[in-house]
Structures are given as structure tokens and as C-alpha cells.
Amino acid sequence: MSTVRFGVTEPRRPGTVLVDATWFMPGAAAQTGAQLFDAQRLAGAVYFDIDAVSDPTSALPHMAPGAARFQRWLSAYGLSAEESFIIYDQNSGFASARVWWTFLRFGLQARILDGGFAAASKAGWQVETGPPPPRNEMPDADTSDRYAGMVMHDTTMSWADVLTHSKAGDALIVDARPAGRFEGRDREPREGLASGHIPGSVNLPFGALLDADGRMKQGAALKRVLPDVDPARRVVTTCGSGVTAAILYAAFAEAGFHDVWLYDGSWTEWAGRGDLPVATGPA
């Protein structure tokens, strides 16, 4: 059984928490993820907003939250670190891996719902519509004991660490952005940000990891897509701002890699700094 994916036909353990991770790039949809969640969701699901539950001290978008920020989100829904979570989204798996990766950083039990909302609703999972019910918030006095055992397993990598690996060539740096942006032919969606890639990195657009129905490829089909199949290889995943890099992270974890890191600042930080090397053209 996969420790990354949760199949829609698998039996759910009583009390398992469904987390809706729907999120869109600014301007990419007519509504926000939160608005779509308010309109419809899998029955009983709670919402995780990667912009709201992020590092407020960073100028970069939706950087991974610290423990206090994450615990406040759990507390707002009356949840503990002992729960089991199934993460899904309503936009073809675009954001669920990012939230899954965030949960793993804090040692929580979480898996990605394979195929997301579309697969679950097709398989007969109950769907709610209209405004969600009120939150079951936890009293502040209960939070310290409930989260005392939570330990962060940090799998983020800084720009300085990525630069070291880029120069040494001792890690597989994999970029999830489309080829045109990676090669410097197409513009970045963020105004004023040059396109291109980290020297020595390779391109693996995240869509190549998914089947037509949004499910992650498995077994031999997945390994055929990956640029390396040595599970001992150190892998650093990156993208535009750390969201689809998590899809790559999940794919390498699914394939049995155990030394996988995510560059949270990704291309927004790398190109935005102005003092780091930028390569263009095919890898």
C-alpha cells in the first residue's frame, strides 16, 4: 500500500480527516480555492489555505509555516497531531501535494487522495454544498498539551544549499515548471521575474507525473518519467513558488527515494534575488 497516495476505493479509518487544499495561481480562476470550498467539498472536509497558513515573516509567497502557525490552524478546527489526514483538491491535484508535504514536515499522518475531488465524487463519496458548518475550535488552554509532541522534520532547502549543490553537481535538482519557462523562452507569470533555470537542474513538468484523470503514475510508468531511478540519489525539487515542486517531491517519495528535499523559495526567490546564476536553453 502506498504511503503517499490514498485510493478512492480504499476503506477509510473512522475519524480520518479530509482536508481540501484547493488553491489557484492569482488570476488563474474566476474564484479562489476558499470560495470553491464554500460552494462544494467532500462531506466533512476542512479547508487549508496555503497563503493563510504560511510564514508571515517572509516576503515570498506561501512559504512553509512554522509550528505555531500550523498549530493555530489545527486548533481552529479542533484537531490534534494524532489525527490521520487525507488531502485532496478540486483542481486536478495542483495543490494537494503541497499541503501533504506541509503536514509531513510536522510528522503528521497524511496521504494524498489519488485523483482528488473528481475521482472521489465519481466513486460515490458524499459531497456537501453550500456554506460549511461552523468550526469546532479548540479552547486555547487545550493547545499546549495537545501539540507538545509535535516535531518538525524539515525537508526544505535554502537558496544557499541549492547553490552549493548546483556548483558541485552532487544532487539531482528537478524543476516542475513548463519547458518554455525553464528554458527561458516564455515569460514568468510574476511581473519582472526573468525566466530560465538553476544551472545544472533538469526539467520535469509536473503534468508528466499524472495520468489524464489526475492520478499519479505508479510503478514502472512513474519510473519511466523520472530522470533518475536510483533511490539513494539526493533530489531537490523546485518550481515557481514551491507548490508544484511538492508534486515532484511526492512522486520521488512514491518511487522509493528517501533523500528528497524541496526548495521552498523556488524560482521566485532564485531569480528575484538578482545575484544568483541563471541558465537558459535546454538542460
Side-chain angles (χ1 to χ4, degrees):
M1 183 176 67
S2 172
T3 58
V4 176
R5 297 173 295 100
F6 186 93
V8 294
T9 60
E10 289 185 46
R12 278 182 280 168
R13 204 167 77 185
T16 298
V17 180
L18 297 175
V19 180
D20 190 310
T22 306
W23 179 85
F24 299 96
M25 286 282 291
Q31 57 189 332
T32 66
Q35 289 170 333
L36 186 52
F37 172 81
D38 286 348
Q40 64 173 19
R41 65 209 152 268
L42 295 180
V46 297
Y47 184 66
F48 190 99
D49 185 334
I50 65 171
D51 287 319
V53 191
S54 62
D55 180 2
T57 68
S58 177
L60 296 167
H62 43 254
M63 292 296 95
R69 195 81 167 181
F70 187 75
Q71 288 168 9
R72 279 198 293 273
W73 177 84
L74 289 171
S75 177
Y77 283 110
L79 300 171
S80 78
E82 307 304 316
E83 319 277 0
S84 293
F85 298 89
I86 298 174
I87 319 295
Y88 75 91
D89 65 49
Q90 300 188 51
N91 50 328
S92 304
F94 188 80
S96 52
R98 171 71 189 196
V99 175
W100 165 82
W101 170 80
T102 303
F103 279 47
L104 258 58
R105 291 182 74 239
F106 294 101
L108 274 61
Q109 299 180 54
R111 291 162 70 188
I112 301 166
L113 183 59
D114 210 14
F117 179 88
S121 56
K122 185 177 180 180
W125 291 33
Q126 185 180 352
V127 174
E128 293 175 343
T129 58
R135 295 179 179 182
N136 181 29
E137 295 193 35
M138 186 188 306
D140 290 342
D142 294 346
T143 59
S144 58
D145 289 342
R146 190 169 275 209
Y147 305 131
M150 185 183 291
V151 178
M152 182 185 288
H153 306 276
D154 199 2
T155 53
T156 57
M157 193 166 281
S158 71
W159 69 263
D161 292 329
V162 177
L163 179 62
T164 298
H165 285 307
S166 172
K167 290 179 175 178
D170 58 354
L172 179 64
I173 305 173
V174 193
D175 193 318
R177 291 175 300 149
R181 290 165 58 191
F182 178 88
E183 295 177 4
R185 295 182 285 104
D186 297 339
R187 294 180 60 182
E188 288 291 317
R190 287 180 172 80
E191 190 67 32
L193 197 67
S195 57
H197 59 269
I198 299 168
S201 62
V202 298
N203 190 211
L204 178 56
F206 72 90
L209 299 166
L210 307 174
D211 289 333
D213 58 4
R215 290 181 169 89
M216 184 180 292
K217 292 178 180 177
Q218 303 175 37
L222 176 58
K223 290 187 175 182
R224 279 195 296 271
V225 178
L226 299 180
D228 195 313
V229 294
D230 178 4
R233 183 82 184 273
R234 168 162 287 189
V235 177
V236 181
T237 67
T238 182
C239 62
S241 61
V243 177
T244 57
I247 299 176
L248 269 59
Y249 186 102
F252 279 101
E254 173 73 10
F257 284 68
H258 51 78
D259 189 9
V260 188
W261 300 76
L262 188 147
Y263 175 27
D264 204 13
S266 283
W267 191 248
T268 298
E269 180 181 48
W270 188 275
R273 284 182 57 90
D275 60 351
L276 296 174
V278 170
T280 57

